[in-house]
Amino acid sequence: MPDPIVETLRARFGDAITGVVEFRGETTIHVWPEAIGDVCMFLRDADAASYDFLSDVSAVDAWPDEPRFQVNYHLYSMTRNTRLRLKASVRDGQSLPSVAGVWPAANWFERETYDLFGVKFDNHPDLRRLLLPDDYLGHPLRRDAPLVVEEVEFTHNFDEVEARKPYARE
Amino acid sequence: MTTVAPPRSISMTFDELKGLVSERAFSGETLLLNMGPQHPSTHGVLRLLLELDGEQVVSCVPDIGYLHTGIEKTCESKTYTKVIPLTDRMDYLSPMSNNLGYVMAVEKLMDVDVPLRAQYIRVILCELQRIASHLVWLGTHAIDLAAMSMLLYCFREREMILDIFEMVSGQRMMASYFRIGGLWRDVPEGFEDAVRQFMRLFPSRIDEYEALLRKNPLWLSRTQGIGAIAGQDALAWGMTGPSLRGSGVNWDIRKAQPYSGYDHFDFDVPLGENGDVYDRYWCRMQEFRQSLRIVDQALKKLPKGPVITGDRKVAPPPKEELAWSMESLIHHFKLWTEGFSPPPGEVYVSVESPRGEFGCYVNSDGSPKPRRVHFRTPSFANLAALPLMAKGVLVADVVALIGSIDVVLGDIDR
């Protein structure tokens, strides 16, 4: 049984709603990346929706498929006691509007997504790396980022690997 | 492959501070102070950049990531079952709740039913875990505010719970006792007696804790009216758990969207009013008693039966069957080499961990390894609201605040 909000959204946003998926009782609404800010604002404020709580923002890397990043927004409505997932797919380098203005909770979630995937959020108040050091290069949760980055040192190649290691040297 | 940029000059870091702290910091009117990452009150490795006007906090910029271990990345190269021990290590004070969130997500993905006995044992262990976790919180929060003896008493009782965990799983802390579809094994003989003994003792111990703190004027003046946050703000900032309920918002996932048989039990959700440090303390103290109520009912109603699903595609067959059943041998071999493959799809399951909403997002591409596992950890969102709460308080109150939102840095950094 799909959430009745789906029809409301289709009527309001038309083509911006590109698909609805039901899986194991969870509703996923695919949204155009450009429209995500407006859709979120509507879902928060409309009485029929009142999704007043943002549980989570994260991304999935579908590499090598394109558009590779699916950004997921997990919403919860206190009054209606329902959950909803919004999904916006972006290519590498394409940015999304930030929803930190809709739910302040998105601030850190989006920073984390930017940090680990390199998905940029427009008009984010403070889009810096969150978990990784500021001088880290790359985004480790991309599927094409290697799991092990540092070379393993053995006794036979210890000096050789040490010489290549990028330490902060005086 | 090089992943670290060459060292940069100091002047760049001043540019980075712009927008984070007020202009007054650059003229020297206010003072920038680093609190942490090795500060004892940060309960892990958390660095706060505090901008101070005298002793008052003007702005607070948390810097996290010191305990980042890339658990979500690691999950992508493990089979579904092998992710369970990783979840223990995020919120190391409530491994049971983390296990539960993850296994429930995979069970939903696989559409597996869990036997009722397993569900009830999960509830019992999760509620004991809640008590154990709150005991560490109470002890460390009190010691941060100079009530030294609390820690010793709290750890004394926590030890009893850890002994129960060791009894069921062989491990005191990183239990990894839950399996997809049920439990690793049934609880041993003597489990119920051990829990009952703890339950007989514990109510009087809660009274002791309260006697130590609730009439202590020093304690009260450092908790009451400190760091208050309104319910609406707390909700907007994504706070959950006792930190949210301290502000009077009635949201407990065990009540709102019951899972694992929580709807079979009778319990109340304690709510605060002011959303200050004291109300969060009060909520957690009440939760001790509510958790005891749930454990009591679950023990009384505990049904007999299997503790893991009979679905051999998910759960291994009993060991003795391997001696005579070819199918069991094959299932066992397949599970231990390849694992199982859920259908392509994605699920998000959340449970009420001692700190709030622990959400687990699992995305499957149909292979035996998850394409993506993401954990929505409660401490992460709770800490994000710290700058809001810390505005205008004294430096010493920041310590009380961090303690009151009960952050676990392993949970935040993952």
Side-chain angles (χ1 to χ4, degrees), chain A residues 47-66:
Chain A
D47 285 338
S50 57
Y51 282 98
D52 44 4
F53 185 78
L54 178 72
S55 266
D56 188 27
V57 179
S58 67
V60 179
D61 186 1
W63 180 82
D65 297 347
E66 281 292 339

Side-chain angles (χ1 to χ4, degrees), chain A residues 1-3 5-6 22 25-29 43 49 51 53-56 73-78 80-86, chain B residues 108 240 251-254 256-257 259 347-352 356-360 376:
Chain A
M1 171 76 189
D3 195 326
I5 198 67
V6 172
E22 280 282 317
E26 294 183 13
T27 309
T28 308
I29 302 182
L43 284 174
Y51 282 98
F53 185 78
L54 178 72
S55 266
D56 188 27
Y73 299 78
H74 291 102
L75 317 183
Y76 176 75
S77 163
M78 291 284 162
R80 296 169 60 228
N81 192 18
T82 50
R83 287 188 182 276
L84 186 70
R85 179 186 302 117
L86 300 180
Chain B
K108 191 171 183 185
T240 46
W251 189 43
D252 187 322
I253 302 171
R254 293 174 296 171
Q257 300 187 324
Y259 53 90
V347 291
Y348 178 83
V349 169
S350 56
V351 298
E352 183 77 23
E357 183 192 0
F358 174 82
C360 184
R376 186 262 187 225

Side-chain angles (χ1 to χ4, degrees), chain B residues 91-153:
Chain B
D91 184 350
Y92 41 78
L93 293 181
S94 65
M96 292 286 183
S97 312
N98 298 359
N99 284 174
L100 184 64
Y102 173 72
V103 296
M104 275 175 46
V106 181
E107 281 155 8
K108 191 171 183 185
L109 197 60
M110 292 288 289
D111 209 8
V112 178
D113 287 326
V114 183
L116 199 60
R117 181 175 174 82
Q119 293 193 16
Y120 279 23
I121 294 173
R122 284 175 176 185
V123 167
I124 294 172
L125 292 174
C126 281
E127 290 308 313
L128 288 175
Q129 184 76 80
R130 189 181 312 278
I131 294 174
S133 167
H134 281 2
L135 280 172
V136 176
W137 156 78
L138 181 62
T140 50
H141 180 39
I143 207 170
D144 286 346
L145 300 182
M148 293 284 280
S149 48
M150 283 304 289
L151 185 81
L152 304 172
Y153 295 128

Side-chain angles (χ1 to χ4, degrees), chain A residues 15 30 52 56 77 79 81 86 91 116 130 132-133 143 147:
Chain A
D15 289 345
H30 292 253
D52 44 4
D56 188 27
S77 163
T79 43
N81 192 18
L86 300 180
R91 295 182 311 278
L116 301 178
L130 184 65
L132 300 173
R143 294 288 277 189
L147 184 63

